[in-house]
Amino acid sequence: MRLLRRAALLLPLVLAALPAAAQPAPREATWTAAGFRFHTGEVMDLRQGYITLGEPTNPAVLILHGTYGTARGMLAANFGGQLFGPGQPLDATRFFIIIPDAIGTGASSKPSDGMRARFPRYTYDDMVAAQNRLVTEGLGIRRLRLILGNSMGGMMAWTWATNFPEAMDAIVPMASQPTAMSARNWMMRRLMIETVRQDPAYMGGNYTTQPPSLRIANVMYGTGTNGGTLNLQRAAPTREAADRLVDQRLAAAPPGDANDFIWQWDASRDYDPEPKLDRIRARVLAINSADDERNPPETGLTERAIARIPQARLLLIAPSAETLGHGTTGNARFWREDLARFLATLP
């Protein structure tokens, strides 16, 4: 393993100033995995929403979003706008870009479709198994050139590489660790989930109106595990400024549905690819930010795990007033050049 450290402020200023190139027109669709079997043994016809860019005759790239995200969110100017345009690292005239809505999000099947608390309590293994069926059965693709995922998407990239090791040439898991969900990351998720579950208005998932705690739980978790220490200090250097920031976040629209919210975050409960890391055959470029609140590098967990994987390396983005902690990798300008260099090394 080769550990790469780079300060975000050293990014070439000219490239950082360039406007995002126009993305090819996205195509949105749904596909149903008939008789999909969850790890619980429950079976249902599972609808999956997805977006594609480019032509299926080109090498396929799978892009995976974070918790509570959607495929459409990955087209944003600070992410897809830095990657999929002409001459960019994942130019959609050269690659076939596939961006699925994970189970429980977007146009994919989720509790709020009608099953509510009876919806299967899915896990990341289920989500990746469903994505694999979409890619292979729905789109007819037998091998992916690259899987790139952020946050939950990063954890799913690790899960793809261990559960379907022959399915891809390379993975770029970001804002994630290839180790068990634990410590602050899980503790904060559990507290967020329990805040909603223990709200009397939740009514065991059979609520008539969205529980008021949903807004508070979402803002509390987002503030406590995202944003970056230096960036938040710059944004809120006084109590008055901090209050304004909190008020803005509390005024924002809350998550749409409490059951969807709980199922999405709870899906990480048994995430642990570490016992299967020796199955990985793909080239690996893991990208984390050194101020990531959910995956703190000082534990050494990621470095020790990656050392077990041949041809794997870690890019650790140095903290600054520009980085956003766990949210850093959601801005492709911090790592797009490294991605381009990594792709150039693939056979």
Side-chain angles (χ1 to χ4, degrees):
M1 182 200 73
R2 198 172 115 214
L3 179 63
L4 301 179
R5 297 183 181 271
R6 181 180 61 146
L9 291 178
L10 294 181
L11 285 171
L13 296 179
V14 174
L15 282 176
L18 287 174
Q23 295 175 1
R27 296 186 290 268
E28 298 187 55
T30 60
W31 179 79
T32 298
F36 180 82
R37 182 176 295 275
F38 290 84
H39 77 284
T40 59
E42 294 164 282
V43 177
M44 65 179 288
D45 290 345
L46 184 73
R47 184 184 69 255
Q48 294 185 84
Y50 65 97
I51 291 173
T52 61
L53 299 91
E55 299 303 322
T57 51
N58 288 329
V61 173
L62 187 67
I63 305 291
L64 303 175
H65 64 75
T67 310
Y68 203 67
T70 63
R72 179 153 287 280
M74 306 306 274
L75 301 178
N78 64 347
F79 196 87
Q82 303 282 330
L83 299 175
F84 306 143
Q88 293 179 341
L90 296 175
D91 184 338
T93 65
R94 297 189 299 112
F95 294 100
F96 180 51
I97 309 298
I98 307 163
I99 317 175
D101 287 323
I103 297 175
T105 70
S108 293
S109 296
K110 49 189 175 292
S112 62
D113 289 341
M115 293 183 69
R116 308 189 77 179
R118 294 180 292 107
F119 195 88
R121 290 189 175 272
Y122 58 85
T123 64
Y124 287 178
D125 284 335
D126 293 321
M127 297 160 90
V128 166
Q131 291 164 0
N132 183 65
R133 285 193 60 181
L134 168 64
V135 168
T136 58
E137 297 176 34
L139 296 172
I141 293 168
R142 298 303 168 189
R143 189 171 180 86
L144 295 160
R145 181 60 167 166
L146 173 71
I147 299 176
L148 181 148
N150 190 45
S151 191
M152 177 184 76
M155 290 187 277
M156 288 195 290
W158 287 115
T159 303
W160 261 94
T162 55
N163 290 9
F164 300 99
E166 304 300 330
M168 76 294 294
D169 295 332
I171 64 168
V172 177
M174 303 188 296
S176 61
Q177 297 183 151
T179 56
M181 180 59 64
S182 62
R184 180 193 293 119
N185 199 350
W186 177 247
M187 292 167 70
M188 292 293 289
R189 290 167 190 248
R190 174 73 191 283
L191 288 168
M192 175 173 57
I193 291 167
E194 292 301 327
T195 298
V196 180
R197 277 181 179 160
Q198 296 188 29
D199 185 338
Y202 180 62
M203 300 173 61
N206 297 308
Y207 41 86
T208 54
T209 59
Q210 296 298 325
S213 59
L214 184 58
R215 182 191 304 270
I216 300 293
N218 185 52
V219 172
M220 178 67 75
Y221 181 78
T223 303
T225 68
N226 199 6
T229 300
L230 298 178
N231 185 277
L232 284 176
Q233 182 62 41
R234 183 182 67 167
T238 65
R239 180 185 62 77
E240 291 79 10
D243 280 340
R244 286 194 296 271
L245 191 57
V246 169
D247 289 340
Q248 290 169 11
R249 294 181 178 189
L250 289 175
D257 183 79
N259 283 329
D260 290 352
F261 182 79
I262 289 174
W263 264 242
Q264 289 160 12
W265 290 103
D266 189 54
S268 64
R269 63 191 178 275
D270 66 348
Y271 169 75
D272 184 13
E274 188 169 18
K276 298 186 286 186
L277 291 180
D278 60 345
R279 299 186 64 195
I280 293 178
R281 299 293 177 266
R283 298 279 185 95
V284 178
L285 172 63
I287 304 177
N288 282 347
S289 183
D291 57 354
D292 188 331
E293 301 88 347
R294 302 178 199 176
N295 304 290
E298 54 266 33
T299 65
L301 293 173
T302 299
E303 291 187 45
R304 287 195 292 273
I306 287 180
R308 296 172 46 194
I309 307 170
Q311 303 186 83
R313 55 195 178 103
L314 171 67
L315 168 64
L316 193 63
I317 302 169
S320 74
E322 302 296 322
T323 55
L324 300 168
H326 186 72
T328 299
T329 49
N331 290 272
R333 69 183 180 90
F334 288 111
W335 46 264
R336 62 183 180 182
E337 297 168 77
D338 298 278
L339 173 64
R341 284 191 285 267
F342 174 67
L343 291 173
T345 69
L346 298 181

